[in-house]
């Protein structure tokens, strides 16, 4: 079982990172579980130029750490993404990767399970959680759960036993979901509506200019045509 954990915070030892590291440590205690922890702020990721060439070729013309991280996610069974709340949204560093990461259109997270972790100090963390959770679902993932936690700046969230217990419980649930291939019927119905009504019809209307996307669907075993 391969799980990728992404710390979307510019702070390697901030509140978000502390929760994610607690989950990492808990997961590493399990047999046959491999965990790769990534600090997004340590990567070399250029901003998206909006050229859309990746939809035709299947990859970005900028061969930097965004492409490397997307390939790691592609090979993973589970994904945990965490971010602090900035202006009722995720961090700029994480958003820059998401803009480059081949998530929604290419269905990068098809047949994977995910957890979102959001920290904040005031209002807005709930909005950030909705944005991040929607991204994961729209990209094909089944949501095993989420953490949303507000706390004073520079305080340690894992000192709160309830937060730590939830982090451990969700880590266990993620592994269980992967092993059992849990269906999550309502999530699947909503995703299928989004994919078949919105994404698939849009991509098909683009013809050859989106052939790289269709190639990704075939590789990920996303259902394109029912025969």
């Amino acid at each position: 079982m391969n799980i990728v954990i992404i710390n979307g915070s510019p702070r390697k030892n901030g509140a978000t990172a502390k929760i994610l590291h607690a989950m990492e440590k808990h997961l590493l205690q399990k047999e046959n579980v491999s965990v790769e922890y990534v600090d997004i702020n340590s990567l070399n990721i250029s901003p998206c130029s909006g050229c859309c060439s990746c939809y035709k070729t299947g990859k970005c013309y900028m061969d930097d750490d965004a492409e490397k991280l997307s390939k790691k996610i592609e090979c993973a069974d589970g994904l945990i993404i965490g971010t602090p709340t900035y202006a009722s949204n995720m961090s700029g560093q994480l958003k820059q990767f998401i803009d480059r990461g081949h998530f929604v259109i290419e269905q990068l997270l098809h047949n994977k399970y995910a957890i979102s972790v959001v920290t904040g100090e005031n209002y807005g963390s709930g909005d950030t959680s909705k944005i991040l959770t929607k991204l994961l679902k729209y990209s094909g993932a089944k949501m095993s759960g989420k953490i949303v936690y507000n706390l004073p700046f520079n305080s340690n969230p894992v000192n709160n036993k309830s937060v730590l217990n939830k982090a451990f419980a969700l880590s266990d649930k993620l592994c269980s979901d992967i092993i059992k291939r849990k269906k999550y019927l309502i999530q699947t119905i909503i995703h299928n509506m989004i994919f078949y009504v919105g994404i698939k019809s849009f991509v098909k209307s683009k013809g050859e200019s989106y052939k790289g996307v269709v190639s990704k669907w075939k590789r990920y075993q996303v259902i394109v045509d029912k025969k």
Side-chain angles (χ1 to χ4, degrees):
M1 187 186 303
N2 181 20
I3 296 172
V4 172
I5 300 177
I6 299 176
N7 175 27
S9 172
R11 308 177 72 212
K12 293 184 179 180
N13 296 300
T16 304
K18 285 180 168 64
I19 294 174
L20 295 176
H21 275 307
M23 298 176 84
E24 175 193 23
K25 184 177 180 180
H26 186 74
L27 287 165
L28 286 173
Q29 294 174 355
K30 298 179 178 296
E31 293 184 4
N32 302 317
V33 176
S34 172
V35 181
E36 182 154 7
Y37 185 98
V38 179
D39 278 306
I40 205 80
N41 206 41
S42 298
L43 304 183
N44 174 31
I45 298 177
S46 298
C48 178
S49 65
C51 70
C52 295
S53 64
C54 60
Y55 294 147
K56 185 173 184 177
T57 64
K59 62 180 181 179
C60 183
Y61 74 91
M62 294 182 281
D63 189 18
D64 60 10
D65 288 336
E67 291 295 290
K68 295 180 179 69
L69 183 52
S70 285
K71 289 176 182 177
K72 291 180 188 295
I73 294 171
E74 180 183 332
C75 296
D77 301 295
L79 176 66
I80 302 173
I81 298 186
T83 180
T85 299
Y86 295 156
S88 297
N89 209 322
M90 66 186 71
S91 71
Q93 289 84 350
L94 182 58
K95 182 60 166 64
Q96 186 155 292
F97 167 61
I98 287 169
D99 289 346
R100 291 276 315 283
H102 310 290
F103 278 89
V104 178
I105 297 294
E106 289 101 327
Q107 294 291 283
L108 178 66
L109 304 183
H110 180 69
N111 276 337
K112 304 182 190 303
Y113 293 83
I115 294 172
S116 63
V117 176
V118 173
T119 61
E121 188 176 18
N122 204 342
Y123 297 105
S125 54
D127 292 333
T128 304
S129 180
K130 288 177 182 177
I131 291 167
L132 184 54
T133 299
K134 184 185 292 185
L135 168 82
L136 296 170
K137 287 181 177 180
Y138 285 10
S139 301
K142 302 291 191 302
M143 290 299 301
S144 295
K146 63 183 180 181
I147 293 174
V148 185
Y149 185 57
N150 284 342
L151 71 167
F153 185 67
N154 275 341
S155 58
N156 190 344
V158 298
N159 287 336
N160 185 317
K161 187 173 287 187
S162 65
V163 174
L164 193 60
N165 288 340
K166 184 170 184 179
F168 292 162
L170 283 181
S171 300
D172 292 340
K173 190 169 185 287
L174 179 67
C175 292
S176 176
D177 286 354
I178 292 170
I179 292 169
K180 296 178 180 178
R181 307 307 301 169
K182 187 166 180 178
K183 299 300 183 182
Y184 286 109
L185 182 59
I186 294 176
Q187 289 190 40
T188 300
I189 292 171
I190 293 172
H191 173 265
N192 285 347
M193 290 175 60
I194 292 165
F195 178 73
Y196 286 107
V197 176
I199 298 172
K200 179 187 170 186
S201 58
F202 171 76
V203 169
K204 288 292 189 178
S205 72
K206 294 290 185 176
E208 285 294 299
S209 63
Y210 274 53
K211 65 180 182 181
V213 174
V214 177
S215 177
K216 288 275 187 73
W217 290 350
K218 292 178 180 178
R219 193 162 85 220
Y220 301 159
Q221 298 183 328
V222 180
I223 298 174
V224 179
D225 292 306
K226 295 181 179 180
K227 295 182 180 179

